[in-house]
Amino acid sequence: MASDAPLLEVAGISKAFPGVQALSSVDFVLHRGEVVALIGENGAGKSTLMKVLAGVHRPDAGLLRLLGQAVELRGPADALARGIALIHQELSLCDNLTVAAAVYLGAELRKGPFLRERAMQHGARAVLAQVGLHVDPRQLVATLSPGQKQLLEIGRALRAEARVLIMDEPTSSLTQVEAERLFEVTDELRRRGVGIVYISHRLGEVSRLADRVVGLRDGRNSGEIPGREATHERMVSLMVGRTLSQEQRPSHSPGEVVLRVRGVRTAAFPEACVDFEVRSGEVVGIAGLLGSGRSELLRALFGADRALAGQIEVGGVPLQRHGPAAAAAAGLVLAPEDRKLQGLVLGMSVRDNLSLPTLHRRGRFIDRAYERDLCARSIAELGIRTAGGGQVVGSLSGGNQQKVVLGKWLAANPKVLVLDEPTRGVDVGARAEIYARLHELAGAGLAVLFVSSELEEVLSLADRVLVLNHGRIAGELPRARLSEETIMMLATGMEVA
Amino acid sequence: MRILPLVLLSLLAACGSKPAAPTPVGGADPAAKPKLAFVTNCVAEFWTIGKHGVEAAAKQFDCDVTVHMPPKNTVSEQQQILQDLIARGTKGIAVSPIDPSNMTGLLDDIAARATVVTHDSDAPASKRLAYIGMDNYEAGRLCGKLIVEAVPQGGPIVILVGNLDQDNARRRRQGIIDELLGRSMDPTRFDAQDAKLKGDKFEIRATFTDQTDHPKCKATAQDALTRWNDLACMVGLFEYEPPLILEAVQSAGRLGKVAMVAFDENEQTLQGILDGHIHGTVVQNPYEYGFQSVALLNKLVREPDATKRAALLPKDGFLNIPARQIRKDNVRAFWDDLKQKTGKK
Amino acid sequence: MKKILGIAALLVVIALTTTWLSWDASSQSYTFLSGYNLQNLLQRIGMFGVLSIAAAFVIVTGGIDLSIGSVVCVAGCMLPWLLRDHGVPPLIAMPLVLLLCAAIGLWHGLLIVGLGLQPFVVTLCGLLLYRGVMRAFTGDQTMGLGGTADELRWLATGRIPITESFGLPAPLLVLALVAVVTSIFWTRTVAGRHLFALGRNEEAARFAGVATGRLTVLAYVLCSLLAGLGGCLFVLDVNSAQASSFGNFYELYAIAGAVLGGVALRGGEGMVLGVVLGACLMQLLQNTINLVADSNQLEFAVVGAVILAGAAVDEGVRRFFRRRR
């Protein structure tokens, strides 16, 4: 009987938080050797469902069945003991541990009070080989790339003999190559009978991997599509309940040069010299593999890191002083890569975050009227979904947080808007809104410079693309010559005819 | 390892066979300037006066004396000072032990390596050669007599003390209590800090400690005045306390209602006596402590002969430098003398 | 606001208990409520409150200042030195002392921001350094004012009569002034907003163009300046200072007051009113013990136990409400 029962069955799960019904009566089924993709906008209830499955939250109503048996998960450790493992979105491994220690964290092999280091190294090597990660178990986790860390997380789940893997945005910080490697591992796990719940905003991945696609909207099931039929349009309508029109990309007419970068060198690539220009009304993308010095370049432009050499002119005026304050005053602002650490003061309110960079322009004392106006204007113009300006920014979804970052810098009337990974962790709906807003701003004469690991994003947003390779500009592609192939060739150091 | 017993034996033999010979035991050399040290139990103005006595004696007897004041008033600090002195080859040490009953071992150890006398506070169980100072119990009784003079009709009193784990503080307090309750002389008696103490006339309401924190002392005095509106007298046993008690009584508007009796010779205490607010104070003679300690150590260290040395010691090993009562009638004369000794005039 | 409700409640409970226990049958009154006691208590709150606000300034930046007690000692010894030993007029001497203390804060700030040393290390060394230097400087002599600052002493011992038996103590007015100015600084000025932002997330604040380094230095300068002001008040109150013991442990009273009042040690959180209430609680407890206990041997134990119990109850109540929501 047990053999034909589904691996995992979610039946009528409901969960409410103060003021929000996060899940109402959600059902889905996961069979052995199956990949079920869970899609939905931020706030649709995906992460709540995931936390219910991983034993973090207890459902208010409904049942979980593992191989036909009703189970009550008493906590994450209990879930793991029953074979349900969560692969976190934010890589949660402790950087200061060795690979072997990370694989066995919480279940160390021991002899009495002593650790059996050898046995753990051996075991870690074996289990990591299964996911195709061939590293020395004695090296530190900190030395691994994000893709390797993701594989390590999966290896850890396999070590715990997980039968159900929950992968939450597994590719969000991976390069194209690393993501491809992850897909292969996923296929292999599927062949071996592991059931996988796959959560992603990247619809391309979803249609590539999923056997079935389950949609969530406002905490309810919004439908299910077999993997073969999961086209981009159908999945979007499953998520947003309507079809997003693929708007025609507006064309911009570049004006005069507002950002001129001459001979800039960063600490990451001291020998590589970068020169380029950005005109007003132009959207310029910077592409390149992870570690090609993209973020370092942006941070140096903004003065967050000190550039080793070079000159940066904004609106024809060279930056004299170093530092974010000076750059912002000159009209160059940065929406940084790590929103939680650098972009926002998470514990402060939406209003206080919005006014933070510009408040000092309004005098020594806090101009409350200005703050209120700015907050109301930003919420309306950018469509920030929040309970009010007083809400703590850390409780907003990723997309809304990114809109707050945009709002606070737009208040500074910048000449050049620099964005590092503008839509990381942002859902489809908010992503479209942010793209539209950026096009609009460029139309109004702002110069936009951005870095993105997602080629799709680079292709849809940029007028012109600079491709970095080892800190140097390997090539420049005008819109007419933009394609995934040309970018990848330049990024990997090949010549483009 | 094998040589050590031999050396010891021959040393013993040498001592036994020629008791009168001028053997440089402990390296004593009558011609050289002896290295001496004067160690106090805390940092205070009081000891500055003592230091003047030390300096005067050092000059007179031609010896090198260093003065050490442990700032935190802790045993461990004092222990370190003593051990460092030995390491530096100091020949004679006069010390005011912070916690005598628990320092016997340490003092014996030091006494085995140098000539040790105690001053100000004694450690009778140790192997120190002599004690120079006053009997704190007797001083306490003198203070008790001042209280009786100040409030002959009796009443409740409060005692303030920096801390009570010091032998001299305990004995001073006990002397006051025994005098007020009309008990017999018994310096070994000790009443707990929170004991209920009531005699025919006097009642000791409380003893408060302040860990030598001046603002805290003032606060404690103020709070005692708040708590009891029938207080007859307040006593401060540490040098800095009487002036702060005086300020508290003054600001409470209870001058004339609450009598005050003091210990030591803080300038403001003396001024308070001149003004008639403080009835009197019991003063020690730190100048003499310093002077006599150095005088005695000097004699002992320069005398190589053990039997002759023993003859130099005061009777019963106690050199009494008696405490005095200072009242309005003799405060002027005392103060002038003090100013002269501290060189403030 | 919610964070200070707990401490306010604890304060009221202890005040009521003390009042009740302080009944004096002979005078038919509660001694705790006597004008004399209240003005004494408020005076102490004034002096220690200034120190707690000093501590709070650096704690909101996510730092710590362990040298407050030693800076109190510096001010307490230098003020009599200038006034009595050098005959400097009071109105010049006190600003000079405050300037010196501010310079100490500047030194801390530069070491922390410029060299990247940890605040704990810098100020712990300061704690030892300044007290040691003052002991050597004063030769362990008691530094007395000796009647040279009788007008200035009004700042510490003065009263503004309200009724016959009660006057508002001057240090409370000093604290009120410091508290109001600090509160305006924290909640109404851009620099204050920036200070709290950097306390919560220094990196994000820097990325938003906030001059985080300069503000951190400013916080340490203000902390030491206020500690110096507190030191002046203390020495003016008791008339003399002894370098070896003056202000010993006061940094802990100051930090305890600030933290009790809801200033989070991780930074970026706190209200001036809470800090003042925290300082009130510390002084009230001492007063309670003196008014009620037979001896003050248990004092530290009582203070520790009450604060711990208060913190535990506060956290318990908060959890209870969080679960109910």
Side-chain angles (χ1 to χ4, degrees):
Chain A
M1 168 219 137
S3 59
D4 43 284
L7 185 56
L8 176 72
E9 191 181 351
V10 174
I13 293 281
S14 297
K15 177 73 186 174
F17 294 108
V20 192
Q21 184 69 36
L23 294 175
S24 17
S25 194
V26 172
D27 304 295
F28 79 89
V29 172
L30 176 69
H31 293 283
R32 269 202 201 79
E34 190 180 39
V35 177
V36 169
L38 213 53
I39 61 171
E41 288 193 274
N42 279 348
K46 286 176 317 211
S47 59
T48 309
L49 180 56
M50 188 176 76
K51 283 179 180 162
V52 168
L53 293 181
V56 179
H57 291 323
R58 287 191 196 193
D60 298 336
L63 264 187
L64 292 181
R65 285 200 196 90
L66 261 177
L67 292 169
Q69 299 264 313
V71 292
E72 192 181 329
L73 300 175
R74 285 189 301 269
D78 187 34
L80 193 58
R82 292 173 187 277
I84 304 177
L86 176 64
I87 311 295
H88 292 273
Q89 177 174 17
E90 314 291 333
L91 302 172
S92 62
L93 294 165
C94 316
D95 271 358
N96 56 349
L97 293 181
T98 63
V99 168
V103 167
Y104 282 94
L105 188 64
E108 287 78 4
L109 299 181
R110 55 166 79 193
K111 189 170 194 175
F114 302 105
L115 292 170
R116 294 173 55 204
E117 291 285 2
R118 283 295 175 105
M120 287 196 281
Q121 285 166 18
H122 191 77
R125 204 189 301 268
V127 82
L128 292 178
Q130 292 178 35
V131 295
L133 181 60
H134 302 282
V135 293
D136 184 347
R138 287 168 302 185
Q139 80 188 73
L140 287 183
V141 172
T143 61
L144 301 185
S145 74
Q148 289 176 315
K149 286 184 189 176
Q150 195 81 55
L151 293 176
L152 175 56
E153 279 261 9
I154 296 171
R156 184 156 76 157
L158 293 183
R159 192 269 304 147
E161 292 173 355
R163 291 173 293 186
V164 177
L165 277 189
I166 304 163
M167 296 182 164
D168 182 18
E169 296 282 355
T171 57
S172 64
S173 41
L174 304 193
T175 62
Q176 210 80 6
V177 182
E178 288 173 326
E180 204 49 53
R181 178 86 201 93
L182 182 80
F183 300 153
E184 286 167 23
V185 171
T186 311
D187 286 335
E188 170 62 23
L189 292 174
R190 166 163 44 196
R191 265 195 297 283
R192 290 172 38 193
V194 177
I196 294 166
V197 180
Y198 194 94
I199 296 165
S200 180
H201 285 125
R202 301 189 178 174
L203 300 180
E205 295 171 8
V206 169
S207 51
R208 150 93 172 69
L209 283 174
D211 297 309
R212 269 182 307 126
V213 178
V214 173
L216 279 185
R217 190 160 65 235
D218 300 331
R220 294 167 194 282
N221 285 86
S222 61
E224 199 174 307
I225 328 169
R228 279 166 280 110
E229 299 163 24
T231 62
H232 197 277
E233 288 70 27
R234 282 195 65 184
M235 286 193 282
V236 168
S237 71
L238 207 58
M239 286 195 285
V240 298
R242 64 195 147 91
T243 2
L244 286 181
S245 55
Q246 289 287 53
E247 274 174 55
Q248 200 54 49
R249 192 182 168 285
S251 62
H252 307 136
S253 42
E256 64 209 58
V257 173
V258 284
L259 174 66
R260 183 172 282 127
V261 176
R262 279 207 203 117
V264 166
R265 289 187 290 156
T266 63
F269 294 98
E271 73 292 346
C273 212
V274 176
D275 299 84
F276 67 91
E277 288 172 356
V278 181
R279 295 172 177 275
S280 79
E282 196 181 22
V283 181
V284 176
I286 297 182
L289 300 176
L290 209 69
S292 58
R294 301 169 306 183
S295 296
E296 289 80 356
L297 176 60
L298 296 196
R299 288 168 60 106
L301 294 185
F302 186 52
D305 295 338
R306 201 174 271 277
L308 295 182
Q311 197 183 43
I312 298 155
E313 273 178 31
V314 179
V317 185
L319 284 184
Q320 297 294 352
R321 284 181 19 252
H322 163 82
L332 184 147
V333 300
L334 171 71
E337 179 179 18
D338 191 331
R339 216 158 30 230
K340 293 184 168 136
L341 198 63
Q342 298 155 348
L344 294 167
V345 182
L346 287 186
M348 289 203 325
S349 67
V350 171
R351 183 170 43 235
D352 292 358
N353 267 290
L354 280 169
S355 65
L356 193 58
T358 48
L359 207 49
H360 66 278
R361 300 185 184 178
R362 314 284 307 180
R364 283 182 181 281
F365 288 87
I366 292 175
D367 186 340
R368 305 260 179 215
Y370 165 75
E371 282 196 296
R372 265 196 310 278
D373 287 354
L374 171 63
C375 183
R377 198 153 27 97
S378 304
I379 289 176
E381 284 179 10
L382 294 160
I384 301 169
R385 276 179 277 284
T386 162
Q391 190 175 353
V392 173
V393 93
S395 65
L396 298 184
S397 70
N400 284 310
Q401 287 185 2
Q402 187 68 333
K403 288 177 190 171
V404 174
V405 175
L406 281 183
K408 80 170 183 182
W409 282 128
L410 293 179
N413 286 322
K415 296 189 182 76
V416 184
L417 173 61
V418 183
L419 307 110
D420 199 350
E421 302 289 356
T423 60
R424 172 170 292 178
V426 172
D427 63 47
V428 202
R431 196 176 282 217
E433 289 174 70
I434 289 174
Y435 290 163
R437 186 82 189 118
L438 290 179
H439 285 308
E440 199 180 309
L441 288 166
L446 184 69
V448 177
L449 178 68
F450 73 97
V451 156
S452 178
S453 302
E454 290 180 55
L455 288 181
E456 235 176 293
E457 180 162 282
V458 175
L459 294 178
S460 68
L461 207 52
D463 295 316
R464 181 157 67 91
V465 174
L466 306 170
V467 184
L468 283 191
N469 179 18
H470 284 87
R472 275 177 232 280
I473 295 183
E476 184 180 328
L477 297 167
R479 178 121 201 112
R481 289 173 58 206
L482 268 185
S483 72
E484 291 200 20
E485 290 72 34
T486 51
I487 292 175
M488 285 315 289
M489 282 170 78
L490 282 173
T492 51
M494 282 184 274
E495 294 292 320
V496 180
Chain B
M1 278 313 280
R2 233 176 296 149
I3 304 173
L4 194 62
L6 272 175
V7 173
L8 282 175
L9 252 174
S10 57
L11 260 176
L12 271 174
C15 292
S17 59
K18 293 184 278 178
T23 324
V25 175
D29 174 4
K33 265 188 166 189
K35 275 166 116 182
L36 308 177
F38 186 76
V39 181
T40 73
N41 55 0
C42 66
V43 179
E45 181 97 317
F46 179 81
W47 288 122
T48 314
I49 304 170
K51 193 176 173 187
H52 285 286
V54 168
E55 282 161 0
K59 208 162 158 193
Q60 185 171 335
F61 303 117
D62 189 33
C63 39
D64 281 330
V65 195
T66 50
V67 176
H68 307 267
M69 306 190 190
K72 280 187 235 116
N73 190 226
T74 62
V75 175
S76 60
E77 221 177 355
Q78 205 173 39
Q79 174 173 0
Q80 199 180 344
I81 290 173
L82 291 173
Q83 288 168 344
D84 289 352
L85 284 172
I86 293 299
R88 276 198 259 164
T90 310
K91 297 291 172 269
I93 300 172
V95 58
S96 168
I98 289 171
D99 183 2
S101 51
N102 292 312
M103 285 169 72
T104 312
L106 171 68
L107 289 174
D108 287 353
D109 185 43
I110 302 296
R113 295 155 208 269
T115 305
V116 173
V117 299
T118 52
H119 66 90
D120 177 46
S121 176
D122 194 14
S126 72
K127 297 205 175 92
R128 52 88 183 138
L129 294 177
Y131 167 53
I132 297 131
M134 64 169 184
D135 185 325
N136 276 291
Y137 180 77
E138 275 178 27
R141 293 202 79 124
L142 285 178
C143 184
K145 291 197 171 81
L146 283 176
I147 299 171
V148 176
E149 285 171 23
V151 277
Q153 74 283 6
I157 74 158
V158 161
I159 299 172
L160 267 74
V161 55
N163 45 52
L164 254 190
D165 31 21
Q166 241 165 277
D167 189 60
N168 55 357
R170 283 168 174 253
R171 292 171 67 130
R172 280 179 197 182
R173 170 172 170 272
Q174 201 59 45
I176 293 172
I177 293 171
D178 289 358
E179 184 70 29
L180 293 182
L181 301 187
R183 293 168 171 171
S184 62
M185 289 283 278
D186 178 6
T188 58
R189 206 183 276 127
F190 179 68
D191 289 305
Q193 198 184 339
D194 52 358
K196 297 269 172 286
L197 299 162
K198 200 168 177 182
D200 296 337
K201 279 181 168 178
F202 287 95
E203 177 194 354
I204 288 83
R205 276 277 165 80
T207 304
F208 289 120
T209 54
D210 55 42
Q211 287 79 40
T212 72
D213 178 340
H214 298 200
K216 186 168 173 187
C217 170
K218 189 172 180 185
T220 310
Q222 288 172 334
D223 288 350
L225 288 163
T226 299
R227 185 167 171 187
W228 297 294
N229 62 8
D230 57 348
L231 283 186
C233 183
M234 293 178 84
V235 195
L237 299 194
F238 275 40
E239 183 255 0
Y240 61 88
E241 289 176 325
L244 296 172
I245 294 173
L246 175 58
E247 291 220 343
V249 171
Q250 222 154 12
S251 69
R254 280 158 75 178
L255 278 179
K257 289 185 193 136
V258 179
M260 281 164 276
V261 171
F263 250 95
D264 299 332
E265 54 278 313
N266 188 299
E267 278 180 23
Q268 285 160 280
T269 304
L270 299 178
Q271 188 62 46
I273 295 174
L274 263 185
D275 296 343
H277 300 318
I278 298 177
H279 175 75
T281 183
V282 174
V283 296
Q284 309 177 60
N285 204 334
Y287 184 88
E288 283 298 305
Y289 290 180
F291 191 91
Q292 296 299 344
S293 293
V294 173
L296 181 60
L297 283 176
N298 176 58
K299 276 193 283 179
L300 291 171
V301 169
R302 283 182 200 260
E303 178 52 68
D305 187 294
T307 37
K308 281 188 193 163
R309 233 179 11 213
L312 293 172
L313 295 175
K315 189 173 168 285
D316 297 333
F318 175 39
L319 184 61
N320 192 9
I321 299 182
R324 284 176 294 166
Q325 292 170 321
I326 305 296
R327 302 182 189 76
K328 198 169 181 178
D329 55 356
N330 60 354
V331 64
R332 189 42 89 189
F334 170 75
W335 202 349
D336 288 343
D337 178 52
L338 185 70
K339 282 179 181 161
Q340 203 163 13
K341 278 179 180 157
T342 54
K344 280 193 181 165
K345 203 170 184 180
Chain C
M1 210 58 201
K2 233 179 265 165
K3 270 203 112 168
I4 64 169
L5 278 182
I7 176 128
L10 190 61
L11 204 56
V12 169
V13 169
I14 293 174
L16 288 177
T17 315
T18 310
T19 306
W20 177 59
L21 289 171
S22 73
W23 175 253
D24 180 39
S26 66
S27 62
Q28 292 291 303
S29 66
Y30 294 105
T31 55
F32 175 73
L33 297 180
S34 68
Y36 177 65
N37 187 54
L38 291 180
Q39 71 187 17
N40 288 337
L41 182 57
L42 291 175
Q43 185 213 14
R44 294 170 212 159
I45 288 170
M47 297 189 295
F48 280 98
V50 170
L51 296 191
S52 279
I53 290 180
F57 255 106
V58 297
I59 299 176
V60 294
T61 68
I64 194 83
D65 189 347
L66 299 175
S67 72
I68 290 173
S70 292
V71 173
V72 164
C73 174
V74 169
C77 293
M78 292 311 286
L79 191 63
W81 183 74
L82 286 174
L83 288 171
R84 195 173 110 155
D85 299 8
H86 291 271
V88 178
L91 288 180
I92 297 174
M94 197 157 141
L96 274 179
V97 169
L98 295 181
L99 203 64
L100 173 68
C101 294
I104 291 177
L106 182 65
W107 156 249
H108 288 164
L110 292 178
L111 285 176
I112 290 161
V113 171
L115 276 187
L117 296 181
Q118 287 191 34
F120 192 97
V121 174
V122 170
T123 59
L124 180 66
C125 295
L127 177 152
L128 301 169
L129 187 64
Y130 312 137
R131 188 170 298 280
V133 168
M134 284 332 283
R135 279 195 54 213
F137 181 76
T138 62
D140 279 330
Q141 298 268 3
T142 300
M143 303 299 287
L145 289 169
T148 49
D150 289 344
E151 298 83 24
L152 200 58
R153 283 198 73 194
W154 187 88
L155 268 182
T157 57
R159 308 263 185 271
I160 294 172
I162 305 289
T163 68
E164 209 169 301
S165 65
F166 176 77
L168 273 183
L172 187 71
L173 301 181
V174 174
L175 173 64
L177 185 70
V178 169
V180 167
V181 171
T182 304
S183 189
I184 289 173
F185 181 65
W186 284 6
T187 60
R188 300 283 161 99
T189 70
V190 176
R193 170 71 60 76
H194 287 181
L195 197 67
F196 276 64
L198 87 89
R200 278 187 191 266
N201 185 340
E202 179 161 5
E203 181 141 8
R206 193 168 69 91
F207 270 76
V210 171
T212 51
R214 228 182 309 159
L215 272 171
T216 307
V217 173
L218 178 69
Y220 282 90
V221 169
L222 289 174
C223 173
S224 294
L225 178 73
L226 288 176
L229 176 62
C232 288
L233 293 180
F234 280 114
V235 75
L236 289 171
D237 181 35
V238 298
N239 233 337
S240 64
Q242 170 87 64
S244 62
S245 68
F246 198 74
N248 228 348
F249 283 127
Y250 284 14
E251 59 282 336
L252 294 186
Y253 296 136
I255 293 168
V259 174
L260 272 175
V263 178
L265 279 173
R266 64 179 172 275
E269 250 176 82
M271 287 174 63
V272 176
L273 184 59
V275 177
V276 173
L277 290 181
C280 284
L281 182 64
M282 296 294 293
Q283 293 313 306
L284 176 62
L285 278 174
Q286 309 251 2
N287 189 232
T288 305
I289 290 157
N290 282 341
L291 290 188
V292 171
D294 281 334
S295 76
N296 56 358
Q297 284 165 322
L298 274 176
E299 177 187 325
F300 290 135
V302 170
V303 172
V306 169
I307 293 172
L308 194 60
V313 168
D314 191 42
E315 187 59 35
V317 168
R318 209 169 301 161
R319 279 193 193 186
F320 176 74
F321 281 114
R322 210 182 297 150
R323 213 165 296 157
R324 286 257 315 256
R325 262 189 295 144

